[in-house]
Amino acid sequence: MNVINQEFETLYYKAATNKLDLKYLEEIQAFCDMYQAHADIETFKIRAKSLMSLIYVVNGLPEKSFEIDLELLSKFSDEMLLTYYPRISHAVVTSTDIGRTDEVRPFALRYLLNKNADHWDSLLSILAWYIKHYSDSREVSDKFNDVFSSIALMMGYLPDPSASLADKVSSLSEERDRNHKNMKQFNSAYFKAANEDKGQVLSGYLETNPLPVFREMALRNFKNNPEN
């Protein structure tokens, strides 16, 4: 681990274990200033700004958090938008809370049209957000059916072909949330169970009829257990 990474991880740990107090904003800025000439500073600036955004939110300052997110999003290429997708996911939620959805809309649209199906969870959430706030926009009718199809295919979900896009997104969102809840319960039970009981825990989970993408995650956990 190089020095700059080690120092940032130490700073992150200090802030996280001290309730993300506002006092750490100065230390984060000082860190960025100290390594201004470092070859990797731009990457660490993104990580530092993301931490600052989180600190502002935790301390009841969503407007300041949102400004940082917008600053970062405005600088991201399409590739970086995918790499740092938590920023767009966070920004759309904050924008709703503070009534500034129009400002994050262009970035949400760019993220959706990338259609990187590996991001099915965040894509689905942002797609639902977009349709809720901009249901009459042209992109919803012209482009988002393909976006939804990519998400559904990755998740192994078969929608009702006669349903509207909004209803399809709503139904898949509900199914995704059900699966997340069941997966959380499965993981808790699985890692607590004795090795000889893990197969039974897995069988019980599979009886909940999980979506294929969740079923594959559960099976991967089971196969990766060296005792199996």
Side-chain angles (χ1 to χ4, degrees):
M1 182 182 293
N2 60 37
V3 174
I4 186 173
N5 189 65
Q6 187 173 14
E7 290 202 15
F8 183 80
E9 292 297 333
T10 299
L11 177 56
Y12 193 103
Y13 179 80
K14 280 173 58 181
T17 54
N18 286 277
K19 301 181 180 180
L20 297 171
D21 194 282
L22 287 169
K23 67 182 180 182
Y24 289 101
L25 293 172
E26 291 186 7
E27 287 195 44
I28 296 169
Q29 187 59 55
F31 166 87
C32 292
D33 293 342
M34 180 186 303
Y35 288 102
Q36 185 63 43
H38 194 282
D40 297 325
I41 188 57
E42 292 306 316
T43 296
F44 282 94
K45 276 186 178 179
I46 294 171
R47 295 176 64 184
K49 290 281 188 180
S50 297
L51 178 55
M52 292 170 76
S53 175
L54 178 59
I55 289 173
Y56 278 128
V57 165
V58 168
N59 285 277
L61 297 167
E63 292 274 0
K64 288 184 175 293
S65 172
F66 187 67
E67 292 294 341
I68 289 177
D69 288 342
L70 285 183
E71 176 189 346
L72 290 173
L73 292 171
S74 67
K75 297 176 180 177
F76 285 170
S77 63
D78 288 348
E79 183 178 353
M80 291 174 70
L81 194 59
L82 292 173
T83 302
Y84 298 103
Y85 70 91
R87 294 277 52 81
I88 184 64
S89 297
H90 182 259
V92 296
V93 173
T94 307
S95 73
T96 304
D97 295 338
I98 64 178
R100 296 175 63 179
T101 58
D102 287 352
E103 293 171 75
V104 77
R105 178 184 179 183
F107 306 111
L109 179 59
R110 279 178 54 205
Y111 180 67
L112 289 169
L113 295 183
N114 275 331
K115 291 188 294 188
N116 189 318
D118 289 342
H119 290 206
W120 52 266
D121 205 350
S122 58
L123 277 171
L124 181 59
S125 294
I126 293 174
L127 180 60
W129 172 90
Y130 205 106
I131 291 174
K132 177 181 178 181
H133 292 282
Y134 303 103
S135 60
D136 295 331
S137 63
R138 178 178 297 179
E139 54 267 22
V140 171
S141 58
D142 290 354
K143 300 177 180 180
F144 283 178
N145 278 300
D146 286 344
V147 175
F148 175 79
S149 294
S150 297
I151 298 169
L153 180 63
M154 181 64 184
M155 297 178 70
Y157 177 75
L158 297 176
D160 178 355
S162 65
S164 67
L165 176 60
D167 286 342
K168 289 177 183 178
V169 170
S170 178
S171 295
L172 180 51
S173 297
E174 290 177 4
E175 185 65 6
R176 184 266 315 268
D177 292 346
R178 179 187 76 85
N179 274 259
H180 270 309
K181 179 180 179 181
N182 289 340
M183 174 61 76
K184 183 177 180 180
Q185 293 173 344
F186 162 70
N187 284 335
S188 177
Y190 184 83
F191 290 109
K192 289 178 182 177
N195 285 323
E196 61 269 22
D197 297 328
K198 290 185 184 297
Q200 184 177 351
V201 173
L202 175 63
S203 296
Y205 170 73
L206 295 178
E207 290 176 1
T208 68
N209 193 29
L211 287 167
V213 70
F214 285 90
R215 183 174 65 244
E216 289 170 10
M217 285 191 283
L219 291 172
R220 188 161 55 246
N221 284 343
F222 183 75
K223 290 177 182 177
N224 289 340
N225 184 355
E227 299 297 327
N228 292 326

